[in-house]
Amino acid sequence: MPQTANNAHSGPAFFAMHKIFWSLAVWLIVSFHCEACLADALPRSVLILNDSGGPTIQGYLDITLAERSTLNAQSPSPFALYVENLDLNQFQGPEYDKTLLTYLREKYLDRPIGVIVANGTEALRFALQLGADGRWSQIAIVFSTVDEERLKSLVLTSNVTGKFLRLSLKDSISAARALVPNLKQVALIGDPFERQAFRRHFASELPTATANLELIDLLGRPLAEVTKRVAALPETAAILYTTVTTDGIGHKYLPNEALEILAKTANRPIVVDVDNRFGHGATGGFVVVPALIGEEAAHLVLRLFNGESPSQIPISASDAFKPIFDWRELQRWAISGHNLPPGSEIRFREPTAWEQYRWQIVFLVSAILTQAALIVGLLYERRRRHLAEVESFRRMTELAHLNRVATAGELSASIAHEVKQPLAAMVAQSGAALRWLAQATPNLNEARLALEKIKVAGDRAAQIVENLRSMFRKETNARRPLSVNILIGNVLALTAQEMQKHGISVQTELSDAAEAKTPGDQAQLEQVFLNLIMNAIEAMSGSQAGARVLQVKTGVGEDGVLITIADSGPGIDAKSVDKIFDAFYTTKPAGMGMGLSICRSIIESHGGRLWASLADRGMIFHVSLPVIG
Amino acid sequence: MNKQHQEQPIVIVIDDDDLVRDAVCDLLRSIGLPTKPFASVPEFLKWKLPDGPSCMVLDVRLPGLSGLDFQSELNKSNIQIPIVFMTGHGDIPMSVRAMKGGAVDFLSKPFRDQDMLDAVQAGLEHDRKRRRSASDNSQLRTAFDSLTSREREIMGLVTSGLMNKQIAAEIGVSEVTVKFHRSNLMRKMGAKSIAELVRMADSLGVRRTAR
């Protein structure tokens, strides 16, 4: 097809005059098409010439890839794409140019080229040389990545169009203001502007762009000095990094390499104007984006293939700039995204934990919340339970005291007797003493003996009162080690009168083994024994038959000390044995049904057990209490 | 009689509480009264009561037999010993029972020492009188035993208030014979008047009740 077109374009000379009308007709059709649709005549092949190979190739590679993908994406039929990296920034001079020209002309002899794309100033210069000769001169040239100043120095033919690149200092300053809102100082870093192809015009822009700002000019300084300076910049400063290839003392660097060194010590964000600075310490800025350059160039190429002629497309400034910022650096400098220019692209944003693990977090949080609610609920329940226990203990203590008071009432005669005994002894002894002394020759010896006995009786009275007080006092006593035998002895002493009154004889078997100490509240434990013994007395006093015998035994049980109190009363119905410890259950006409219930509460609060069983005659109550050790 | 009066008195103290028992003994000793303490009734029963005026200080509540029950036992056995009761919590029914049973006094603990001493003294005095009257009775009985059966018969009839004539008719003898026997028995009994003879007959339980 391209062949056909070419032939048609230059072809009529080859045809003989005698050729028939058909030939004329064909020519007419073809030439009509020639003027209307040159595109159809263009070979569908593009030669891309890149300035550079070597280490700076990356930018051109990105441009090239963008051109290729844009062309492939927006064209209905495929292009033949050829790429030549000319290495013109490393290899220069007419000899090299000449060799390259020869080489390329030979190489593409049989490959007709539709459009040449020249990326870079040197590539454009070379493309123009290539077009200086016969067959190549007709081929349209689209350029990109060419600086404006150099473009002016080139003589452009009508088959050339493209976009020149104009970096803007003003844009970089506005990017710096976005990063540092109260910007007052700008540190400028790079080779001197006259050595920077794309930034030569910055020198003239400088006064306007940096008006109201303090300029810290580090252009062309040795890198070692620059690194020190950028480490000590004021809070209100930003760093503008252009490009460093050779520093003030002649060290050569790759631009990104120098940037990395600087970024290590810099204490302020670094503004850049070239895309490939990211990942090397650049914070952001209005940057030239190679992909956009490539797209721009590709669009021009497509326009040419669509039939426009290069002369119809005016040469203009590239618009391949975009505000781009590095999220990691923004984090580093604690810059919020709010002040960034509209349409900014944030790169390397790490998804927040929420974005990354939303469902896991939702699940975890809900699990934790559920658990917390559960724990709070359980704690609340525990608290309530504790309060209820405290309340129940308080009530038990109160009831126990009421029960003690009632028992004290029942025992008042016995108590009075207990107290009156030593009092009677004291009165009688003091009468005796007075009489011994009143004799004609006072009998001092007898008087002294009498006084000593008064003292003994007084001590006993005090002891009895103390015992009674501790037995019937209201407040709960501290738990302390107690001997069960002594407690039983106290209670038996108190109830002796009562038993005698009812003709009950007591049999005690107090084992030495039960001397082991039981931790307890004396008043409460004595109350238990008192209740049990009083119950036994009451049970036996009602019965007619047989001897009235109360048996009290202490000994070693499974869990510590075991006390049994057996009566010879009528006992109770076997079915009721389990009920007698229930509150308000009573077999007595005037009973409250609280006594045994209280006894069981007291024993259980001491970690012991209280139970009852039936004997041949009467009942047996068993109290088991833990002992220390 | 004089000899009896000089007999050594003894105060028996029964209380199971040794403090009280001691104190009572000490109090009695301080006025020179001999005492004998016991902790229980069975202990006392093992002891032989000396012949002499005695008094017992007894606690109402005692292990085993109570004081009041013991008093009843003594009365049944016709052992007459004055008892002073002590109690820790005397109630009225108890004291009434004790006093009906012949108690000297019923003292509530703590008692005044003088009350105890007074009660014991009163008890001893009572016992002395009882012993004295008991000894009078035995002289009367000896005299009565020396009477002939006819004289005893006539003494019973005289002291029942019959005239000599009525007596003669009753037993079928002459009035003179009655007078003879009567003067004899008056002399033998040592009675100076009919009234005295009546009191003697009462003591001996030989007076016939009037029909």
Side-chain angles (χ1 to χ4, degrees):
Chain A
M1 168 78 176
Q3 299 277 347
T4 320
N6 264 345
N7 289 347
H9 191 64
S10 57
F14 291 103
F15 286 89
M17 288 298 287
H18 63 273
K19 288 290 177 182
I20 55 166
F21 173 79
W22 278 112
S23 314
L24 185 64
V26 169
W27 180 81
L28 275 171
I29 294 165
V30 168
S31 48
F32 173 80
H33 276 273
C34 262
E35 286 306 316
C37 275
L38 187 65
D40 282 352
L42 278 179
R44 292 191 70 82
S45 62
V46 175
L47 174 61
I48 297 173
L49 299 178
N50 282 333
D51 237 12
S52 172
T56 59
I57 196 168
Q58 187 59 46
Y60 290 106
L61 201 58
D62 290 343
I63 294 170
T64 308
L65 288 173
E67 285 163 348
R68 178 196 286 269
S69 63
T70 309
L71 287 173
N72 283 338
Q74 302 196 357
S75 166
S77 55
F79 286 93
L81 267 175
Y82 308 106
V83 180
E84 296 292 342
N85 291 321
L86 303 178
D87 255 351
L88 289 169
N89 47 358
Q90 290 194 336
F91 301 89
Q92 287 150 353
E95 286 303 313
Y96 180 62
D97 283 358
K98 204 174 154 187
T99 315
L100 265 186
L101 283 170
T102 316
Y103 164 66
L104 289 179
R105 278 176 185 146
E106 285 292 320
K107 186 175 177 180
Y108 292 97
L109 192 59
D110 295 331
R111 310 280 173 104
I113 299 297
V115 174
I116 292 173
V117 175
N119 295 322
T121 311
E122 289 300 313
L124 175 58
R125 187 187 54 76
F126 184 79
L128 291 171
Q129 280 188 38
L130 201 62
D133 178 58
R135 186 166 81 92
W136 293 83
S137 62
Q138 296 303 312
I139 302 174
I141 298 171
V142 171
F143 68 83
S144 80
T145 334
V146 174
D147 82 284
E148 199 183 3
E149 300 264 323
R150 286 291 305 281
L151 189 63
K152 283 174 192 162
S153 67
L154 295 172
V155 181
L156 300 181
T157 49
S158 62
N159 63 338
V160 176
T161 188
K163 301 271 185 180
F164 61 85
L165 198 60
R166 186 185 169 84
L167 295 173
S168 162
L169 181 60
K170 197 165 143 269
D171 282 352
S172 287
I173 298 287
S174 69
R177 284 191 200 279
L179 295 176
V180 185
N182 55 345
L183 185 73
K184 294 208 174 67
Q185 294 89 6
V186 173
L188 262 181
I189 295 165
D191 292 342
F193 287 144
E194 66 269 16
R195 286 218 317 258
Q196 295 197 43
F198 290 94
R199 297 184 185 84
R200 228 166 265 138
H201 58 285
F202 276 20
S204 55
E205 257 186 69
L206 206 53
T208 337
T210 61
N212 302 328
L213 290 176
E214 184 192 331
L215 186 67
I216 301 167
D217 187 354
L218 300 172
L219 294 171
R221 307 301 303 165
L223 199 59
E225 182 197 331
V226 176
T227 50
K228 272 182 207 151
R229 294 289 299 275
V230 296
L233 291 172
E235 286 272 305
T236 51
I239 299 165
L240 252 59
Y241 179 79
T242 54
T243 188
V244 173
T245 52
T246 310
D247 78 349
I249 50 172
H251 282 295
K252 299 234 181 251
Y253 296 97
L254 294 176
N256 287 345
E257 193 184 0
L259 176 58
E260 277 175 21
I261 293 167
L262 284 172
K264 271 179 199 158
T265 56
N267 68 346
R268 300 301 303 151
I270 300 171
V271 177
V272 294
D273 49 12
V274 181
D275 189 0
N276 62 12
R277 299 281 188 261
F278 288 110
H280 300 283
T283 307
F286 287 89
V287 296
V288 181
V289 183
L292 293 179
I293 292 174
E295 276 175 34
E296 278 180 348
H299 283 133
L300 293 179
V301 171
L302 285 169
R303 281 171 73 180
L304 295 177
F305 277 109
N306 281 339
E308 289 184 63
S309 84
S311 54
Q312 285 175 301
I313 302 171
I315 292 166
S316 62
S318 166
D319 199 23
F321 295 91
K322 199 177 175 192
I324 296 177
F325 298 87
D326 186 330
W327 187 82
R328 300 166 300 186
E329 295 293 319
L330 291 178
Q331 297 300 112
R332 177 182 168 193
W333 305 113
I335 294 164
S336 76
H338 304 305
N339 292 327
L340 299 184
S344 292
E345 179 187 337
I346 310 288
R347 288 203 186 150
F348 309 111
R349 184 200 287 276
E350 288 165 17
T352 59
W354 174 246
E355 288 162 347
Q356 218 167 347
Y357 303 109
R358 178 177 311 201
W359 292 112
Q360 289 91 326
I361 289 171
V362 166
F363 175 77
L364 204 70
V365 167
S366 57
I368 287 170
L369 283 178
T370 312
Q371 205 174 26
L374 212 64
I375 288 167
V376 166
L378 287 173
L379 284 176
Y380 177 70
E381 276 304 309
R382 202 179 85 111
R383 170 101 189 122
R384 268 176 36 131
R385 188 180 150 161
H386 174 72
L387 287 178
E389 276 171 2
V390 167
E391 177 63 15
S392 116
F393 182 75
R394 195 184 63 76
R395 286 195 183 150
M396 191 274 273
T397 312
E398 202 135 290
L399 264 180
H401 177 247
L402 285 176
N403 173 261
R404 281 203 294 273
V405 170
T407 315
E410 286 174 42
L411 282 171
S412 59
S414 299
I415 291 168
H417 181 90
E418 277 290 293
V419 178
K420 282 175 182 172
Q421 289 292 103
L423 288 181
M426 286 162 80
V427 172
Q429 285 289 4
S430 49
L434 288 171
R435 281 175 181 79
W436 289 122
L437 294 173
Q439 287 175 355
T441 46
N443 191 332
L444 294 180
N445 196 39
E446 287 286 358
R448 192 178 61 244
L449 284 173
L451 288 173
E452 277 168 5
K453 287 173 183 174
I454 290 172
K455 185 178 172 298
V456 170
D459 287 346
R460 194 175 112 190
Q463 183 59 48
I464 287 165
V465 170
E466 180 53 36
N467 276 352
L468 287 170
R469 209 179 70 83
S470 72
M471 199 179 290
F472 294 115
R473 84 170 94 197
K474 180 167 188 182
E475 70 269 27
T476 52
N477 306 303
R479 302 265 164 106
R480 59 194 177 86
L482 300 166
S483 156
V484 169
N485 286 348
I486 290 175
L487 301 188
I488 296 273
N490 288 345
V491 174
L492 286 176
L494 197 60
T495 51
Q497 297 301 314
E498 206 64 29
M499 285 190 268
Q500 208 177 312
K501 183 165 136 192
H502 294 107
I504 294 163
S505 62
V506 187
Q507 295 175 358
T508 53
E509 282 179 40
L510 303 185
S511 158
D512 288 344
E515 290 292 337
K517 299 297 181 191
T518 297
D521 178 329
Q522 181 172 355
Q524 290 189 349
L525 290 182
E526 282 178 346
Q527 178 181 6
V528 171
F529 301 135
L530 190 59
N531 268 334
L532 295 177
I533 288 172
M534 290 294 281
N535 278 349
I537 291 171
E538 203 171 331
M540 289 187 281
S541 65
S543 74
Q544 300 297 320
R548 297 173 178 180
V549 180
L550 176 75
Q551 284 184 312
V552 181
K553 290 183 193 171
T554 61
V556 182
E558 278 176 39
D559 312 317
V561 61
L562 181 69
I563 303 103
T564 55
I565 295 171
D567 64 60
S568 61
I572 56 164
D573 183 4
K575 279 181 272 179
S576 307
V577 171
D578 293 333
K579 288 188 199 160
I580 55 173
F581 294 105
D582 294 348
F584 305 116
Y585 181 87
T586 182
T587 56
K588 306 177 196 168
M592 266 279 285
M594 291 312 293
L596 286 175
S597 160
I598 291 166
C599 287
R600 182 170 262 187
S601 300
I602 290 173
I603 294 301
E604 284 176 356
S605 82
H606 281 75
R609 288 191 305 133
L610 168 63
W611 71 100
S613 60
L614 288 173
D616 293 342
R617 278 183 65 209
M619 292 200 67
I620 307 174
F621 285 89
H622 312 258
V623 180
S624 141
L625 284 168
V627 291
I628 292 169
Chain B
M1 270 176 70
N2 209 12
K3 181 185 153 227
Q4 278 175 8
H5 190 74
Q6 284 167 354
E7 268 182 337
Q8 183 76 332
I10 184 121
V11 182
I12 297 135
V13 180
I14 306 181
D15 193 318
D16 60 325
D17 189 310
D18 40 1
L19 274 183
V20 178
R21 194 171 64 237
D22 260 22
V24 172
C25 289
D26 288 353
L27 177 64
L28 295 170
R29 276 200 306 116
S30 73
I31 58 161
L33 284 175
T35 58
K36 181 67 187 174
F38 296 101
S40 68
V41 172
E43 252 181 71
F44 163 73
L45 292 175
K46 283 181 215 155
W47 182 68
K48 190 182 177 302
L49 190 66
D51 186 24
S54 54
C55 178
M56 183 181 282
V57 178
L58 185 58
D59 190 29
V60 171
R61 293 276 159 81
L62 284 172
L65 199 59
S66 88
L68 287 173
D69 292 340
F70 181 50
Q71 182 191 32
S72 307
E73 296 282 312
L74 289 175
N75 282 344
K76 274 185 211 160
S77 322
N78 206 23
I79 298 170
Q80 292 173 336
I81 180 163
I83 298 175
V84 176
F85 276 109
M86 298 184 292
T87 177
H89 50 296
D91 51 18
I92 290 170
M94 214 188 279
S95 54
V96 167
R97 186 183 156 196
M99 298 311 281
K100 270 190 172 172
V104 179
D105 210 338
F106 193 89
L107 299 175
S108 279
K109 291 176 189 170
F111 41 79
R112 288 180 56 233
D113 52 345
Q114 194 57 52
D115 288 352
M116 171 59 79
L117 295 176
D118 289 350
V120 168
Q121 294 286 26
L124 287 174
E125 193 51 43
H126 185 271
D127 201 43
R128 283 193 192 99
K129 274 185 186 158
R130 180 191 63 76
R131 288 172 64 84
R132 199 154 52 223
S133 75
S135 100
D136 284 355
N137 256 0
S138 64
Q139 285 176 351
L140 218 54
R141 175 64 63 184
T142 314
F144 186 70
D145 287 348
S146 69
L147 298 184
T148 64
S149 62
R150 180 61 80 182
E151 283 166 350
R152 285 182 200 166
E153 191 178 14
I154 289 171
M155 179 174 169
L157 294 169
V158 168
T159 53
S160 68
L162 292 183
M163 313 282 275
N164 288 346
K165 198 195 286 178
Q166 289 171 311
I167 298 167
E170 178 88 16
I171 57 174
V173 291
S174 72
E175 200 177 341
V176 176
T177 313
V178 173
K179 277 187 180 174
F180 170 75
H181 286 304
R182 184 172 155 173
S183 64
N184 269 349
L185 73 94
M186 290 283 274
R187 181 179 43 80
K188 278 184 181 171
M189 292 301 288
K192 293 178 183 73
S193 67
I194 290 294
E196 198 174 355
L197 189 70
V198 168
R199 192 183 59 78
M200 287 173 175
D202 273 351
S203 302
L204 291 167
V206 294
R207 201 176 95 165
R208 285 214 192 155
T209 48
R211 273 161 297 185

